[in-house]
Amino acid sequence: MSNAIHKIRKKVKKYLDQDRYEHTLGVMYTSASLAMCYGEDVNDAMIAGLLHDCAKCIPPKKKIRLCKKYHIHITESEYANPSLLHAKLGAYIAAEKYHIKDQMILSAIHCHTTGKPHMTMPDKILFISDYIEPGRKDAPHLPELRKLAFQDIDECLYLILKDTLSYLQTRNLTLDPMTEKTYRYYQQELKKEEQ
């Protein structure tokens, strides 16, 4: 493990509760495994995994306040569910407080909750790792998705988006329009591949 990762790990631990920190380590190691599988930079994947939830434990009202202070755009769905802001705010904090300059890492952190159309491989790796890391127990189809992540990353991404939308809709929870947009985009992409 690089010295930079060791330092970030020590620092980020101070801002997360124990469960969130355990989850973060799970995401970090899962990201590293997927990066190895798909020929991406393992170090960068680990940094993205370590910092993806760096803003998660900030209280909701403070998340909104900080986003306004740093001129981070807040959507209607984010006002309704400020928890969604932790990705955007986390990317800002990663850049400012952890001195991450790599745009690929910052992009992965920024979209790890909702996804986005045209995701890069590092974006996909973090998004999927957040969902399938070993500590996750409550998500549907986990055994299949964990296997699929290492075989067909786009198919895995699509199925996670599908399950996420279904989960949010059946429980009447706030749906970020970006999640739906991402789902539709990858649905079309997979259809093109099948033709």
Side-chain angles (χ1 to χ4, degrees):
M1 189 179 304
S2 79
N3 198 26
I5 289 175
H6 190 68
K7 279 183 184 166
I8 293 170
R9 198 168 151 170
K10 276 175 78 173
K11 190 172 174 182
V12 84
K13 189 176 184 182
K14 295 178 199 165
Y15 298 99
L16 301 176
D17 60 42
Q18 190 57 39
D19 286 349
R20 184 61 44 190
Y21 183 65
E22 293 296 327
H23 163 72
T24 292
L25 294 183
V27 174
M28 178 184 79
Y29 287 119
T30 305
S31 292
S33 302
L34 283 171
M36 287 179 210
C37 179
Y38 292 104
E40 293 294 320
D41 188 295
V42 174
N43 210 45
D44 289 355
M46 289 177 83
I47 290 171
L50 256 184
L51 291 174
H52 83 286
D53 273 354
C54 65
K56 186 80 174 184
C57 294
I58 296 170
K61 284 181 181 164
K62 190 175 180 185
K63 278 191 185 85
I64 290 173
R65 206 165 60 241
L66 289 172
C67 284
K68 285 178 177 175
K69 180 182 173 183
Y70 301 132
H71 309 290
I72 297 167
H73 176 70
I74 305 171
T75 65
E76 277 180 44
S77 53
E78 289 163 344
Y79 272 115
N81 182 5
S83 165
L84 292 168
L85 288 170
H86 81 274
K88 286 179 180 177
L89 185 56
Y92 179 87
I93 290 170
E96 295 300 314
K97 305 255 188 301
Y98 293 87
H99 314 292
I100 303 301
K101 302 286 175 253
D102 189 313
Q103 288 306 311
M104 297 288 257
I105 295 172
L106 298 175
S107 168
I109 295 169
H110 192 279
C111 73
H112 83 267
T113 308
T114 59
K116 65 179 181 185
H118 306 286
M119 288 166 85
T120 64
M121 186 58 82
D123 292 340
K124 293 173 187 177
I125 285 172
L126 184 59
F127 181 89
I128 290 169
S129 297
D130 189 29
Y131 198 87
I132 67 165
E133 62 94 1
R136 279 262 192 231
K137 292 176 180 54
D138 49 358
H141 314 116
L142 268 176
E144 298 88 349
L145 290 168
R146 283 176 172 146
K147 192 174 173 186
L148 189 59
F150 292 89
Q151 296 167 339
D152 186 338
I153 200 161
D154 287 338
E155 179 75 19
C156 182
L157 178 70
Y158 169 71
L159 291 173
I160 289 172
L161 287 159
K162 190 176 176 182
D163 282 348
T164 301
L165 285 176
S166 161
Y167 175 84
L168 293 170
Q169 285 160 349
T170 55
R171 284 162 185 76
N172 271 336
L173 296 168
T174 306
L175 172 63
D176 191 300
M178 186 54 79
T179 307
E180 194 153 13
K181 195 173 172 182
T182 308
Y183 168 72
R184 300 268 173 250
Y185 174 81
Y186 283 100
Q187 189 178 43
Q188 289 306 314
E189 287 300 296
L190 288 172
K191 273 185 190 160
K192 282 183 208 164
E193 281 175 29
E194 285 164 11
Q195 287 168 358

